[in-house]
Amino acid sequence: MSLLAEDTGAADLGLRWKPGFHTLGPAFLTDLRPTPLPDPYWVCRSEAVARELGLPAGWYESDTTLAALAGSLPIAGTSPFATVYSGHQFGVWAGQLGDGRAIMLGETEGGLEMQLKGAGRTPYSRGGDGRAVLRSSIREFLCSEAMHGLGIPTTRALCVTGSDAPVYREEAESAAVVARVAPSFVRFGHFEHFAANQREDELRALADYVIDRYYPACRTTERFNGSAYAAFLEAVSERTAALLARWQAVGFCHGVMNTDNMSILGLTIDYGPFQFLDGFDPRHICNHSDTSGRYAFNQQPNVAYWNLFCLAQALLPLIGDQEIAVAALESYKTVFPNEFEGRMRAKLGLHGAAEGDRTLIEGVLKLLAAGKVDYTIFWRRLSDYMADGNLEPVRDLFLDRAGFDAWLLSFSERHAGTGRAEAAELMRRSNPKFVLRNHLGQQAIEASRKKDHAAVATLLAVLEAPFEDHPDADAFAGFPPDWASTIEISCSS
Ligand code: AMP
Ligand code: MG
């Protein structure tokens, strides 16, 4: 559908763009163009994201659109740029980072920013080549859409374009570009950057921009001595708590929870070495580069809180009072457990809260951990048991049958007198049949490397609706093969 906009040599995607983040000015960003990706080809696309953006039907049918989304052709109405941020990486202040390979195209009239990740070097690339490899681009694409399908806040992905141009990591790989979409890509690290450089005017301008655009209710707070900045910190903290609760409940592990990978909107962002747990192991480390286990699965809620302290520290010049800043983080300690228990109750098919629910939740998690029981399969089988009364498929997952039977007794007692069908229905809406396990992503990647991109599309269709049965896709819902445990995902991407 896209045409070359007359006279400009730019592709017209049929979208209207507005300046958005660019209005903040040159202290926040550098104007630049993506570096063309040689001979690009389509790898995968999300029609759902295309619709959300308001792209016209058949948007992907022209070569100019393909070239534009690979960064090889300018897009009419956009003025691309890269933004600067800093951050704490693995608990240590890393100084200036920034969009080293993600180039912002702009913001659509509908309020969605679009970035091309892997679109070439920027002034913030440091030693990097500005590129992204095919495997990590497919993983980001699939996981963005999988998370959305699960109802978990996330940046989205419109498409991946690939190229046979070599990119060198541990070995030669091929390059790709992810076109990703979110209301905002602002990170905690954006605030840390201006705070660390003692640039209070810019810090305030950024906070005002984000508050006015995304957190307007903070303007009228009567709490925190009327500080909109403290109310903003609290709101970010609560969104982050809710996000972490959702990650933990679904068994998702983000491999690099550095402060520059924390979204100011509480979105899952920067998919690198992430993982959905197979067998339940609370101490699981999904990032091969995380040798100390800082980002182990069970550390993530605390790490998020630590990251929020960094954000609080950055906002302190605006809040003006340390006690108020600390008070603004206080609710994390109640919001996280409440949200987590709420999600786990839904997984257990419980509509309301009752005393003893926490024990019931802790009990099952302990049993799952002791047996390293497959997390997703357990919950889905428990849901099926509520529907059909067939206990064996659930019970067979446990070596400690007596322990499971004891837990099941308290589970059944908790459900006594409530509608079983209704509980089963809630459970099947709360316990996905499909998650993006490492090996599923890996199989799709291998196929794409051989130019068979249909495998990514097939997997996407299932992950977009992970609570549905998809009887033809049972192979995606099974136990991981033995080789899955040998997959090593690191920061290299
Ligand atoms: P990440 O760990 O992927 O969140 O990246 C941390 C920082 O390194 C960010 O500033 C990225 O933009 C930058 N970065 C990562 N990979 C590259 C690359 N290949 N080229 C340039 N910058 C990169
Ligand atoms: Mg990052």
Side-chain angles (χ1 to χ4, degrees), residues 386-397:
M386 281 307 262
D388 63 19
N390 183 9
L391 184 60
E392 286 324 301
V394 194
R395 202 166 175 262
D396 285 350
L397 294 170

Side-chain angles (χ1 to χ4, degrees), residues 223-241:
R223 303 168 53 232
F224 308 118
N225 289 343
S227 166
Y229 303 113
F232 165 55
L233 177 60
E234 181 179 66
V236 175
S237 156
E238 292 184 359
R239 281 203 202 182
T240 306

Side-chain angles (χ1 to χ4, degrees), residues 85 89 97-98 100-101 125-126 128-131 169 261 270:
Y85 54 78
Q89 298 186 315
L97 304 164
R101 54 176 172 170
S125 297
R126 299 172 295 146
D129 59 5
R131 289 300 183 192
R169 296 295 181 261
N261 290 339
D270 279 15

Side-chain angles (χ1 to χ4, degrees), residues 194-387:
F194 295 102
N197 290 292
Q198 278 126 37
R199 289 167 64 181
E200 200 176 315
D201 290 347
E202 284 88 355
L203 180 66
R204 189 178 302 275
L206 179 64
D208 286 343
Y209 175 82
V210 173
I211 291 170
D212 290 341
R213 293 290 310 272
Y214 310 104
Y215 292 94
C218 296
R219 286 280 175 223
T220 50
T221 187
E222 286 171 11
R223 303 168 53 232
F224 308 118
N225 289 343
S227 166
Y229 303 113
F232 165 55
L233 177 60
E234 181 179 66
V236 175
S237 156
E238 292 184 359
R239 281 203 202 182
T240 306
L243 178 70
L244 266 289
R246 284 178 171 270
W247 285 0
Q248 293 276 296
V250 80
F252 176 81
C253 199
H254 188 299
V256 200
M257 283 182 68
N258 294 338
T259 56
D260 54 301
N261 290 339
M262 297 292 292
S263 153
I264 207 69
L265 298 185
L267 308 173
T268 315
I269 191 170
D270 279 15
Y271 292 91
F274 63 82
Q275 190 176 1
F276 288 89
L277 300 183
D278 292 318
F280 185 65
D281 174 6
R283 288 182 298 190
H284 184 70
I285 302 162
C286 69
N287 179 356
H288 200 64
S289 318
D290 181 10
T291 45
S292 71
R294 178 178 174 84
Y295 299 138
F297 178 73
N298 63 1
Q299 297 303 306
Q300 305 220 329
N302 282 338
V303 166
Y305 190 55
W306 189 93
N307 289 344
L308 284 159
F309 260 91
C310 295
L311 180 64
Q313 188 74 39
L315 293 174
L316 197 52
L318 307 181
I319 296 172
D321 181 323
Q322 184 144 354
E323 266 178 43
I324 291 181
V326 171
L329 295 181
E330 198 51 31
S331 62
Y332 186 94
K333 294 181 206 154
T334 46
V335 173
F336 172 74
N338 287 343
E339 290 280 333
F340 179 67
E341 275 175 39
R343 308 243 54 101
M344 296 307 284
R345 241 184 254 115
K347 288 173 85 65
L348 289 163
L350 301 168
H351 283 277
E355 216 177 306
D357 284 353
R358 186 173 294 192
T359 314
L360 198 61
I361 294 164
E362 283 169 2
V364 74
L365 292 178
K366 209 178 263 181
L367 274 175
L368 292 172
K372 284 221 171 135
V373 175
D374 190 279
Y375 192 69
T376 304
I377 289 177
F378 164 73
W379 288 106
R380 191 69 179 188
R381 288 193 183 178
L382 190 68
S383 314
D384 292 343
Y385 157 68
M386 281 307 262

Side-chain angles (χ1 to χ4, degrees), residues 8-89:
T8 60
D12 185 352
L13 297 190
L15 294 175
R16 305 244 287 224
W17 301 86
K18 56 184 184 184
F21 189 93
H22 198 273
T23 55
L24 281 166
F28 297 83
L29 52 94
T30 302
D31 292 298
L32 81 177
R33 280 189 172 195
T35 306
L37 186 69
D39 302 319
Y41 50 79
W42 290 114
V43 175
C44 46
R45 297 179 294 263
S46 159
E47 272 305 318
V49 177
R51 277 195 299 276
E52 207 134 311
L53 281 164
L55 285 167
W59 61 279
Y60 51 85
E61 283 168 1
S62 85
D63 288 345
T64 52
T65 302
L66 168 62
L69 292 171
S72 301
L73 199 62
I75 296 175
T78 66
S79 313
F81 58 92
T83 75
V84 64
Y85 54 78
S86 294
H88 284 83
Q89 298 186 315

Side-chain angles (χ1 to χ4, degrees), residues 34-43 66-73 116-120 130-134 137 160-167 174-178:
T35 306
L37 186 69
D39 302 319
Y41 50 79
W42 290 114
V43 175
L66 168 62
L69 292 171
S72 301
L73 199 62
L116 297 182
K117 179 171 176 180
R131 289 300 183 192
V133 298
L134 181 69
S137 303
V160 175
T161 49
S163 167
D164 292 335
V167 175
S174 62
V177 170
V178 188

